[in-house]
Amino acid sequence: MTSPPRVLGAQLADGITKGNMWALLFLATAGTAVVSFLPSTQPHILTTILGVPESGQGTIVGLLGFAAELAMVLSLAWYGALADRFGRRVIVVGGLVLCAIGAVLFPFAGNTAVLVVLRVIFGLGVAAINAMLSTIAIDYVRERSRGKSYGLIGVFGGLGALVAVLVVAKLPQTMEKRGLDPVAATRLSFLLIAAGILIVAGLLWATLSRVPADVAAERTPLTRLVREGLVLARDPGVALSYAASFVARADLYVVVSFLTLWISDYATGERGLSSAEALAKAGAVVGISQMVALLCAPVFGWLGDRMRRQDLLILAQLIAAGAYLSTLLVSDPLGPGMMIVAVLIGIGEIAGITTAGPMLAQQVPAAVRGAAFGVHTLCGSLGIMIVSALGGALHDAWRPAGPFVVSGVFGLIVAIFGLVVRHRIQARTEDDTPLEALPTR
């Protein structure tokens, strides 16, 4: 009996080729770069295109995040259900096209209201990418390699985040150095980024698996698939994973949005740098955080296949909470203290991201996996909504560390919930509880 093919140590599922797996890792890199770049450039857009004063940018960043995530909440579970019926590839490519549309028009917004609309369009694309990345990471590997799969997604996603903050976010500054005025440099940069997103969409259409969706899922009504994703939360392991997703995706948003805003405002207000120069400085600090996340991702992936997944998830939430609360000690975001905090944040961010998904995967049957991961990502959107709205208000009314404190407190709450239910969690095997036997109300 021949052993299944592997990619970087992960055993592939039946019908999945090495090319498909490498396409998934490319999606992790390119998708994370796409997801990360727009939030990280929002302060630059507000300053250069709309001329919003720094004192009011925190609230607007929070509003943009809230609006985008509200749209995602209304679409995420349906993305999972549609993927179960029509396949993952269609949703991935559709999401990238939406991101390209939002990106190319973003620097042409004439006011905050238009900016919100475009952020919603981009957010709908992000919802599709996030939901499918989580689902495909499970689809493409065997059960014993799911921890490795998420570790690899974390590594290649970390590369994508680095590309976003160290390369993509610096494009406006690069264009300004070539002689363009700030507005023209910004618009040309976003046009080039949108073109790149469309090229990525074409490559993924050609390389992701074309294996048809599960037959059982094809016969199941969409409304039932969505409902099953919610009903599964009666399982304490699923509930814990959903709660962890609520915190983990909010953590990622806080890093790429509010850390950039904190550093950019300080660099322009206290150090007298231009908006493009401040964005580059912020990218360097966020880049450190993402580099650490990249290096730590395989560690948590490895641990995920060797520890009880609920125990690792609880540990990850405690690490993340400590990291985000440590921002209260920072007074100079361009000083050495912030570099230490950035390292801690990178560890906490990747810990949360790489542990919530495998926890869910071990608890749900394959037939409703797409719907379950759609709801899983929906919970992340709810987290971003709450953290972005509350954190944005605290950023302007209290201190720039406000959004990080909110994330840290939520992380502690999830860790406590995990400690309460950890002994009640039993992993589901692939042939446990068929779809027809799942509770429906």
Side-chain angles (χ1 to χ4, degrees):
M1 181 177 178
T2 58
S3 60
R6 295 172 178 261
V7 169
L8 299 179
Q11 291 186 348
L12 305 187
D14 294 337
I16 300 301
T17 67
K18 291 184 177 181
N20 296 149
M21 186 64 185
W22 282 111
L24 166 63
L25 298 179
F26 175 62
L27 170 61
T29 303
T32 305
V34 171
V35 168
S36 301
F37 100 89
L38 193 65
S40 69
T41 57
Q42 286 173 168
H44 179 67
I45 293 292
L46 293 175
T47 299
T48 303
I49 303 297
L50 297 182
V52 176
E54 294 175 359
S55 59
Q57 290 187 7
T59 301
I60 294 177
V61 167
L63 172 63
L64 292 172
F66 182 90
E69 297 305 318
L70 179 60
M72 292 170 72
V73 164
L74 300 177
S75 66
L76 273 170
W78 290 101
Y79 276 139
L82 289 168
D84 282 342
R85 171 165 291 192
F86 300 113
R88 319 316 194 195
R89 194 171 57 127
V90 174
I91 307 302
V92 169
V93 172
L96 287 167
V97 170
L98 286 173
C99 286
I101 293 171
V104 74
L105 296 176
F106 206 65
F108 291 92
N111 53 58
T112 302
V114 175
L115 207 63
V116 169
V117 172
L118 295 175
R119 188 69 178 85
V120 166
I121 294 173
F122 190 87
L124 290 173
V126 170
I129 294 170
N130 284 337
M132 291 306 96
L133 187 58
S134 298
T135 305
I136 297 173
I138 298 301
D139 288 343
Y140 278 18
V141 300
R142 296 177 183 269
E143 196 280 334
R144 71 182 62 179
S145 291
R146 286 172 179 168
K148 291 187 182 71
S149 179
Y150 265 79
L152 290 172
I153 293 299
V155 170
F156 283 83
L159 286 173
L162 284 175
V163 170
V165 298
L166 298 180
V167 179
V168 179
K170 288 186 176 182
L171 276 179
Q173 182 186 30
T174 302
M175 295 300 171
E176 285 186 28
K177 289 181 177 179
R178 292 175 178 265
L180 295 177
D181 66 82
V183 173
T186 301
R187 289 174 173 170
L188 178 58
S189 298
F190 276 68
L191 176 63
L192 294 174
I193 292 166
I197 294 172
L198 293 177
I199 292 172
V200 168
L203 291 173
L204 289 171
W205 179 259
T207 53
L208 287 172
S209 174
R210 303 186 184 191
V211 175
D214 183 87
V215 175
E218 290 179 343
R219 292 197 301 263
T220 305
L222 289 176
T223 52
R224 181 180 176 187
L225 284 172
V226 173
R227 187 173 67 250
E228 297 300 353
L230 296 172
V231 169
L232 285 168
R234 293 182 176 184
D235 181 305
V238 173
L240 178 59
S241 178
Y242 286 173
S245 177
F246 177 96
V247 176
R249 284 203 59 237
D251 287 352
L252 178 60
Y253 183 82
V254 164
V255 172
V256 297
S257 296
F258 287 106
L259 187 58
T260 302
L261 178 61
W262 186 356
I263 298 170
S264 295
D265 284 353
Y266 187 86
T268 55
E270 300 295 328
R271 300 289 179 86
L273 301 181
S274 70
S275 177
E277 290 171 334
L279 182 61
K281 287 283 188 183
V285 177
V286 176
I288 291 173
S289 175
Q290 299 308 309
M291 176 64 75
V292 172
L294 182 147
L295 295 174
C296 291
V299 175
F300 285 100
W302 180 81
L303 289 173
D305 290 332
R306 286 161 178 80
M307 289 178 62
R308 285 177 29 151
R309 285 174 178 161
Q310 59 265 40
D311 294 339
L312 182 60
L313 187 151
I314 294 167
L315 175 63
Q317 291 299 320
L318 290 172
I319 293 172
Y324 286 93
L325 291 173
S326 71
T327 56
L328 287 170
L329 304 176
V330 175
S331 57
D332 179 2
L334 292 178
M338 178 57 92
M339 298 302 177
I340 297 172
V341 170
V343 169
L344 295 175
I345 285 176
I347 297 172
E349 175 194 328
I350 203 63
I353 292 171
T354 56
T355 55
M359 179 77 244
L360 180 61
Q362 78 170 15
Q363 299 299 123
V364 299
V368 290
R369 187 175 293 150
F373 271 95
V375 175
H376 186 260
T377 313
L378 183 148
C379 291
S381 290
L382 289 173
I384 293 177
M385 286 175 63
I386 293 173
V387 172
S388 61
L390 181 57
L394 288 175
H395 175 280
D396 290 344
W398 179 40
R399 58 193 296 179
F404 300 88
V405 173
V406 174
S407 287
V409 170
F410 279 130
L412 287 177
I413 293 172
V414 173
I416 293 170
F417 172 63
L419 290 171
V420 172
V421 303
R422 61 188 288 268
H423 291 302
R424 295 168 47 201
I425 297 173
Q426 294 182 346
R428 183 194 302 272
T429 61
E430 288 294 337
D431 56 357
D432 275 349
T433 313
L435 180 61
E436 292 77 14
L438 290 172
T440 58
R441 60 184 177 87

